[in-house]
Amino acid sequence: MLSSSRSRVAIEDIFDHNFQIKADASPELKRITRSIFRVEEKIKEKMQAFFLKAKQQNWLQGDQIAWRNGRSVLPLKISQKRKIKGIVQDQSATGQTVFIEPLEIIELNNQLNELQFSEIEEKNRILKVLTSFFKPFTDRIRESYYILQHLDRHYTRAKLAQHLKAIQ
């Protein structure tokens, strides 16, 4: 069993100052996070290349890469939609713009989705391990909670009485 000072270190190793799980909370999570970053960079590079080509050819309806259905897409003029092979992810309300996900990007976006699912699974695993560590202390934690609740209630009453300049 870990000592209380060790549990503090374990918590600080897992959570950042905003109580978000750190990217390096486990070796596996660190590996997944790095993989996500690499795939995102590949997507950005390839989409930028597609975007520049489409811009040079005057195929674009918009002036930037867009996101539709969680995917990187190109906003093409409806008349140019066959210029880039891919999947139509969306269409504008006016019907003038179609949002195409290039075929080369589809596999990368699928990899990214799989890695994001793996990231969620690893974070859940980390939380389960941490939770199991604290299970033997459930009664003591609950007791501490009730004591803090009691103290907070009295402190709040005292602050209110001070604010109202109340007397008993």
Side-chain angles (χ1 to χ4, degrees), residues 11-12 14-22:
I11 290 171
E12 290 170 355
I14 293 172
F15 296 104
D16 65 16
H17 63 282
N18 293 319
F19 286 98
Q20 298 298 311
I21 296 177
K22 292 181 179 180

Side-chain angles (χ1 to χ4, degrees), residues 68-102:
R68 291 293 189 276
N69 304 321
R71 311 290 250 183
S72 299
V73 294
L74 296 171
L76 298 180
K77 295 174 184 174
I78 195 77
S79 62
Q80 305 298 321
K81 72 179 183 180
R82 302 248 189 269
K83 298 291 184 179
I84 295 179
K85 292 182 180 181
I87 294 176
V88 176
Q89 289 291 349
D90 200 4
Q91 186 171 332
S92 68
T94 62
Q96 299 300 309
T97 308
V98 20
F99 297 93
I100 303 284
E101 179 183 15

Side-chain angles (χ1 to χ4, degrees), residues 19-79:
F19 286 98
Q20 298 298 311
I21 296 177
K22 292 181 179 180
D24 61 351
S26 75
E28 179 64 10
L29 186 58
K30 187 174 185 175
R31 183 195 67 74
I32 292 168
T33 303
R34 285 182 178 164
S35 296
I36 287 172
F37 178 77
R38 282 193 297 271
V39 171
E40 287 174 337
E41 288 302 308
K42 282 182 190 178
I43 290 170
K44 286 178 192 173
E45 288 171 15
K46 287 188 181 263
M47 284 301 289
Q48 191 62 34
F50 277 115
F51 181 80
L52 291 175
K53 179 181 178 182
K55 188 174 184 173
Q56 289 170 349
Q57 300 294 326
N58 199 28
W59 298 341
L60 292 174
Q61 184 67 22
D63 60 350
Q64 63 186 11
I65 297 168
W67 279 91
R68 291 293 189 276
N69 304 321
R71 311 290 250 183
S72 299
V73 294
L74 296 171
L76 298 180
K77 295 174 184 174
I78 195 77
S79 62

Side-chain angles (χ1 to χ4, degrees), residues 109-165:
N109 276 329
N110 288 342
Q111 283 178 10
L112 182 59
N113 284 341
E114 288 174 17
L115 286 167
Q116 289 167 336
F117 288 134
S118 296
E119 180 183 38
I120 291 168
E121 288 175 353
E122 179 60 12
K123 285 180 177 182
N124 286 338
R125 188 198 66 78
I126 290 167
L127 291 173
K128 283 179 185 175
V129 168
L130 190 60
T131 302
S132 69
F133 171 78
F134 287 102
K135 188 157 178 65
F137 304 104
T138 303
D139 291 337
R140 290 172 56 191
I141 292 170
R142 187 175 292 116
E143 181 182 344
S144 296
Y145 170 76
Y146 290 132
I147 290 169
L148 287 172
Q149 194 177 34
H150 179 77
L151 291 172
D152 185 56
R153 191 176 319 116
H154 286 287
Y155 176 76
T156 302
R157 287 176 183 160
K159 288 292 281 187
L160 177 62
Q162 184 182 25
H163 178 73
L164 297 174
K165 296 180 174 47

